[in-house]
Amino acid sequence: MRTAPTILHLDMDAFFASAEQASKPSLRGKAVVVGGLGPRGVVATASYEARVFGVHSAMPMAQARRLAPNAAYLVPRFGLYREVSEQVMGLLGALSPLVEPLSLDEAFVDLEAGGTAWDEGSARLAGVKLRADIRAVTGLTGSVGLAASKMLAKIASEQAKPDGLVLIEPGTERALLGPMSVRTLPGVGPATGDHLRRAGVSTVEELAEAGEDELVRLLGKAHGQALYAMALAHDDRPVVAERETKSVSVEDTYDVDIHDRVRVGLEVQRLADRCVARLRTAGLSGRTIVLKVRRYDFSTLTRSETLRGPTDDPAVVREAAMRLLEAVDTTGGVRLLGVGVSGLADYTQEDLFAQAQAQAEAEARAQVQAAAQAASGESGDREQSAQGATEESTAEHVPPAERRWPAGHDVRHAEYGHGWVQGSGLGRVTVRFETPYSEPGRVRTFRTDDADLEPADPLPLVARRPETPAPQASSLQVSSPQASSEPASRPKSRSGGGGGGATSRP
């Protein structure tokens, strides 16, 4: 285990919600909740102002609305979040070649491998500069933890939240960990935590005192030995720059159970196409097609089929998913569907037999249709012409589907410019016209089919990148016997700060 605190853990503060606040001046300093807004939606991220009311990630959206009825509830804009994440990961990549992303807003960095830090002082300077660069480039804030291991660096970043920096000094790890809950350690979830609590172990110090043999007896050899080592502050896990992708999948949860078998089939085909699109974006293909179905009673079924070779052909994936669906009873209703591909490879193997079979089937269908038309003669032609005329006439009278305007998404009006959707319903859409660089804007209401109103791409959160960010290091010199840290100041209003939630945990 290394002795210098050169492992850095970055966690962006309330990332989705902070990005929305930075994008929307009227929401800065106010409670913002991002997630699915349907009856079965869950909270993806809550701003610190919303957390004051008890709202947190993974909470049912209906419960969040009861706790914070006056908060702004927005649909996620993952395109924007990915763009900001790429900017942040670029800054991390400038520090070291060893960057291990955990999600869009979280990553480990091995500063020593990049020659960026080699002792406590240089590590602190790297953390200070990183936070300043993130604010300059994205307008958002991130919390940084520095320590000699991944486990301790993550614990440090948790202590630093929001908008802070904590460095755990070598030699103070055991004293710092001792009074903490066992749930602080990686791998200790609710079930393991309850099991340990029933055995009289609630803190990390008690975990270490229990001894390795007792933990092996309680939890099994692998888990018991690993937890005992972490209780002693031993964690030799390296920062891994690249993780092998094991599968690619997409899934949707529906606000209302789907009972129509035809609709279920159409949804499965749509999900298969989305899954293949992700495969191709990643330059991958796969052999095993997986179908996931969660039924009305929350029972979840998974079915899979392995092909003879890897493919990224949407038709092949659709057909396999539909074959899997045939073996699943959906009569009671379906609340979630998913399609995935595993057994990944970076090449495709064309299924010549399948292609030949498909071509033969197409030719056979064409011959049958030609024979049927010849047998029907002119009467068939007249019937077909009449049917086509009827279909054309019907199509002309079908009203166009009402355009959807998700809350929080960007729009542009021909007269009023850029704005975002505050809400919609009953044929109306309410828009607030403002940009990340403006003052809070005015609200106007339009018909949902207004020709002057169109969806728009998100604007950058920062208008231009400063050439030389100037970090304010003077306020970062607070230390304690166990850890040296920056005071966890509230994020600026630009990035979701303000309000009374300074002590809320992320």
Side-chain angles (χ1 to χ4, degrees):
M1 180 174 172
R2 68 183 73 196
T3 57
T6 54
I7 299 293
L8 180 149
H9 181 260
L10 170 71
D11 198 351
M12 299 294 289
D13 299 322
F15 181 46
F16 295 175
S18 293
E20 297 298 343
Q21 289 175 314
S23 178
K24 302 170 172 62
S26 58
L27 297 184
R28 294 171 190 169
K30 298 181 181 179
V32 174
V33 181
V34 180
L37 303 189
R40 292 174 178 167
V42 297
V43 176
T45 308
S47 70
Y48 286 97
E49 297 83 2
R51 297 180 194 194
V52 173
F53 299 99
V55 180
H56 58 78
S57 300
M59 171 182 286
M61 191 62 75
Q63 182 180 357
R65 288 184 183 276
R66 290 193 295 270
L67 293 173
N70 296 322
Y73 290 86
L74 308 176
V75 176
R77 296 186 294 164
F78 288 109
L80 171 65
Y81 310 149
R82 280 191 290 269
E83 181 180 341
V84 177
S85 176
E86 289 172 0
Q87 293 176 314
V88 173
M89 296 302 166
L91 294 174
L92 298 182
L95 294 176
S96 172
L98 290 184
V99 177
E100 182 179 335
L102 304 180
S103 62
L104 289 176
D105 60 341
E106 185 179 4
F108 286 109
V109 183
D110 188 333
L111 298 177
E112 187 176 6
T116 310
W118 50 91
D119 59 11
E120 181 181 337
S122 57
R124 179 184 296 280
L125 288 176
V128 170
K129 183 178 186 303
L130 173 64
R131 293 182 56 247
D133 287 348
I134 288 173
R135 186 186 289 274
V137 171
T138 70
L140 306 180
T141 63
S143 295
V144 167
L146 292 158
S149 70
K150 291 169 70 172
M151 176 187 74
L152 293 168
K154 183 171 176 61
I155 291 173
S157 69
E158 290 290 322
Q159 291 187 323
K161 280 187 169 291
D163 190 18
L165 181 151
V166 167
L167 184 149
I168 297 179
E169 300 173 358
T172 67
E173 297 93 346
R174 290 286 301 277
L176 177 70
L177 285 175
M180 292 184 175
S181 167
V182 293
R183 291 289 305 277
T184 304
L185 301 180
V188 182
T192 301
D194 289 342
H195 189 51
L196 290 170
R197 180 179 52 79
R198 288 193 295 270
V201 177
S202 298
T203 66
V204 176
E205 184 177 8
E206 291 170 345
L207 198 66
E209 291 174 350
E212 184 175 357
D213 292 342
E214 177 65 10
L215 295 178
V216 168
R217 186 187 69 81
L218 288 171
L219 305 172
K221 184 175 181 180
H223 201 185
Q225 289 178 341
L227 280 187
Y228 181 68
M230 286 189 285
L232 299 179
H234 296 163
D235 178 20
D236 295 328
R237 293 174 301 159
V239 175
V240 181
E242 295 183 2
R243 291 184 176 273
E244 182 182 358
T245 303
K246 298 185 182 298
S247 65
V248 174
S249 63
V250 296
E251 62 182 42
D252 277 345
T253 300
Y254 303 99
D255 293 340
V256 179
D257 291 346
I258 303 176
H259 294 82
D260 183 0
R261 184 75 176 186
V262 174
R263 166 86 187 283
V264 172
L266 292 174
E267 288 294 313
V268 167
Q269 294 181 56
R270 183 179 61 82
L271 291 168
D273 288 343
R274 283 174 52 194
C275 184
V276 169
R278 289 191 180 183
L279 270 180
R280 290 184 168 181
T281 299
L284 297 171
S285 61
R287 295 184 64 225
T288 302
I289 314 303
V290 181
L291 175 69
K292 177 179 177 182
V293 180
R294 181 166 297 150
R295 298 188 291 191
Y296 69 98
D297 57 357
F298 286 88
S299 62
T300 302
L301 303 176
T302 302
R303 300 288 184 268
S304 64
E305 174 183 321
T306 299
L307 308 175
R308 292 188 299 174
T311 182
D312 64 352
D313 187 333
V316 173
V317 176
R318 279 197 304 268
E319 290 170 6
M322 291 300 290
R323 285 195 298 271
L324 295 170
L325 179 62
E326 291 175 1
V328 178
D329 180 12
T330 62
T331 53
V334 171
R335 61 182 290 121
L336 177 146
L337 290 169
V339 174
V341 177
S342 60
L344 301 182
D346 56 1
Y347 67 96
T348 60
Q349 180 174 316
E350 301 298 341
D351 192 336
L352 300 179
F353 177 79
Q355 290 182 357
Q357 183 180 19
Q359 183 176 358
E361 291 175 351
E363 292 175 353
R365 284 195 299 268
Q367 292 174 358
V368 170
Q369 291 174 356
Q373 289 177 357
S376 60
E378 294 184 357
S379 61
D381 292 340
R382 287 194 298 270
E383 180 180 350
Q384 185 175 6
S385 299
Q387 181 180 358
T390 302
E391 290 175 351
E392 182 177 357
S393 175
T394 303
E396 290 177 354
H397 291 86
V398 173
E402 183 175 305
R403 290 191 293 178
R404 295 182 64 253
W405 302 99
H409 281 223
D410 298 83
V411 296
R412 176 168 292 279
H413 191 273
E415 179 180 354
Y416 302 110
H418 192 93
W420 58 277
V421 176
Q422 280 200 325
S424 63
L426 301 177
R428 301 286 179 179
V429 55
T430 300
V431 178
R432 184 181 288 274
F433 290 97
E434 59 187 8
T435 73
Y437 338 114
S438 71
E439 296 296 321
R442 295 188 59 182
V443 175
R444 299 181 184 275
T445 299
F446 307 91
R447 292 176 56 89
T448 54
D449 58 356
D450 191 316
D452 290 336
L453 190 66
E454 295 291 340
D457 293 329
L459 297 175
L461 301 184
V462 175
R464 62 183 180 86
R465 177 174 178 174
E467 303 232 345
T468 49
Q472 300 297 322
S474 60
S475 63
L476 305 177
Q477 306 303 322
V478 179
S479 62
S480 68
Q482 295 179 341
S484 54
S485 65
E486 175 187 358
S489 59
R490 297 294 300 155
K492 304 299 183 186
S493 61
R494 175 69 182 248
S495 57
T503 60
S504 298
R505 300 293 294 171

